[in-house]
Amino acid sequence: MKAILLAGGSGTRLAPMTAVVTKQLLPIYDKPMIYYPLSTLLLAGLREILIISTPHDLPMIEKLLGSGADLGVSFSYAAQPKPEGIAQSLIIAEKFLNGQPCCLILGDNIFYGPHNGIEQAASLTKGSFVFAYRVKDPERYGVVTLDAAGNATSIEEKPAQPKSPYAVTGLYFYDSEAPAIARSLKPSPRGELEITDVNRAYMQRGELKVGILGRGTAWLDTGTPDALLDAAQFVQTIERRQGMKIACIEEIAFRKGFITAAQLEKLAERYGKNDYGAYLRSVLEE
Ligand code: TTP
């Protein structure tokens, strides 16, 4: 399965922090935001990743992440000229996907906790799979209801009266039909190709499965100043307590066997004596 990391958008809620740089390059505690969704993909074993951002931000993201070769993975890059919706990423990615199923993750979503469900979803070949998470303010998200077998029974974008507390998270798995479905959509009143409409199309075919991320999992989005700070403090709390890093992409690449110890050592050298470099060396010594 191939993966798409969508890291554009306008970031209006975070302005002026996003006046000259995409939110995905803002820090969440000790690393750029984009490392977090990227780590989710790597932990799921996905190694062929298309990164989509604005024409302005794409060169900076490419400078940060490069070809992926030093992590034993492959990054490709594509621009989304205007933020015309999350579902548009499936159209932009169509050539890259080349008829394969895909995983789409949003650049401002942080997942922390057991990853087994996500790894399993990455073997999907037919239909679609999304993750739902219980939140206090479902009206801000796509909201889904499901039956006992995990089939979606309704899905609505930002409903005034949510039918359930379950928000659809920014991690989606689709079969090879997704780009064609996205192409068949009309823009919503807010002028976007809505990912909820892609999901609804699958639901209408009886092909939208929903997995609940349990209360032992943290799903954070980072679109507002408060959410950004909450996420940073969450990461700081766990990292300080455990002495282990969340979303350290070099460590993940090593533990997954994408790179050798010698390659990790070389990556550590980049950071000299700073804490990040020391951490990478501690992984090697373990
Ligand atoms: P949003 O948070 O919905 O939008 P935004 O990032 O533009 O922020 P704001 O609402 O404050 O203006 O986007 C969710 C994620 O999807 C985020 O990582 C950006 C990304 N995105 C795109 O890359 N292109 C798009 O067209 C849209 C709508 C979102």
Side-chain angles (χ1 to χ4, degrees):
M1 175 176 283
K2 292 187 173 185
I4 306 165
L5 201 175
L6 181 62
S10 30
T12 47
R13 288 168 298 158
L14 287 175
M17 285 183 278
T18 46
V20 294
V21 71
T22 177
K23 64 177 158 186
Q24 279 97 178
L25 290 173
L26 297 178
I28 301 291
Y29 185 45
D30 56 355
K31 56 195 90 63
M33 187 188 294
I34 197 170
Y35 275 38
Y36 295 84
L38 183 54
S39 73
T40 300
L41 297 177
L42 300 180
L43 284 166
L46 299 170
R47 297 170 74 168
E48 270 182 278
I49 301 169
L50 177 70
I51 298 165
I52 300 177
S53 189
T54 68
H56 170 79
D57 295 296
L58 200 61
M60 284 183 277
I61 295 177
E62 193 165 355
K63 188 169 176 196
L64 175 71
L65 297 174
S67 71
D70 50 8
L71 296 174
V73 302
S74 159
F75 298 137
S76 311
Y77 297 89
Q80 181 184 34
K82 291 202 191 94
E84 290 172 335
I86 292 167
Q88 196 179 52
S89 66
L90 295 164
I91 303 174
I92 295 169
E94 189 164 14
K95 250 203 184 132
F96 163 81
L97 295 176
N98 195 21
Q100 285 196 41
C102 70
C103 168
L104 166 62
I105 193 165
L106 302 184
D108 64 350
N109 273 228
I110 299 181
F111 295 87
Y112 177 73
H115 271 74
N116 346 2
I118 298 176
E119 220 166 323
Q120 212 180 329
S123 62
L124 168 145
T125 53
K126 185 86 188 99
S128 65
F129 196 98
V130 299
F131 288 95
Y133 190 74
R134 190 186 174 102
V135 292
K136 215 168 78 178
D137 48 0
E139 62 283 352
R140 289 181 50 215
Y141 301 96
V143 174
V144 70
T145 56
L146 56 152
D147 64 19
N151 295 299
T153 49
S154 77
I155 184 161
E156 290 176 295
E157 183 62 29
K158 299 188 178 62
Q161 259 126 25
K163 291 196 183 106
S164 87
Y166 288 108
V168 177
T169 69
L171 176 63
Y172 319 86
F173 293 85
Y174 298 117
D175 67 12
S176 58
E177 295 292 309
I181 292 174
R183 264 193 284 106
S184 73
L185 298 178
K186 298 237 161 14
S188 63
R190 61 173 174 172
E192 294 184 8
L193 296 183
E194 303 285 346
I195 201 67
T196 293
D197 291 340
V198 174
N199 293 332
R200 189 176 300 105
Y202 276 107
M203 185 186 80
Q204 283 162 353
R205 301 172 178 195
E207 291 185 337
L208 179 62
K209 284 266 182 199
V210 185
I212 305 271
L213 289 175
R215 62 200 292 174
T217 302
W219 171 55
L220 309 170
D221 81 78
T222 54
T224 66
D226 282 320
L228 193 67
L229 181 61
D230 285 349
Q233 288 178 331
F234 177 84
V235 172
Q236 182 198 39
T237 301
I238 307 277
E239 291 192 356
R240 273 199 186 161
R241 176 67 177 154
Q242 298 185 334
M244 293 173 84
K245 285 200 186 295
I246 297 175
C248 175
I249 53 179
E250 296 86 353
E251 176 188 6
I252 294 169
F254 175 64
R255 293 197 193 275
K256 287 295 250 182
F258 302 165
I259 57 172
T260 63
Q263 282 172 295
L264 182 61
E265 201 165 350
K266 232 175 132 202
L267 290 172
E269 277 167 21
R270 277 192 204 163
Y271 298 100
K273 286 199 171 56
N274 88 351
D275 283 353
Y276 202 88
Y279 178 74
L280 295 181
R281 278 188 290 276
S282 76
V283 169
L284 276 170
E285 281 156 19
E286 212 171 76

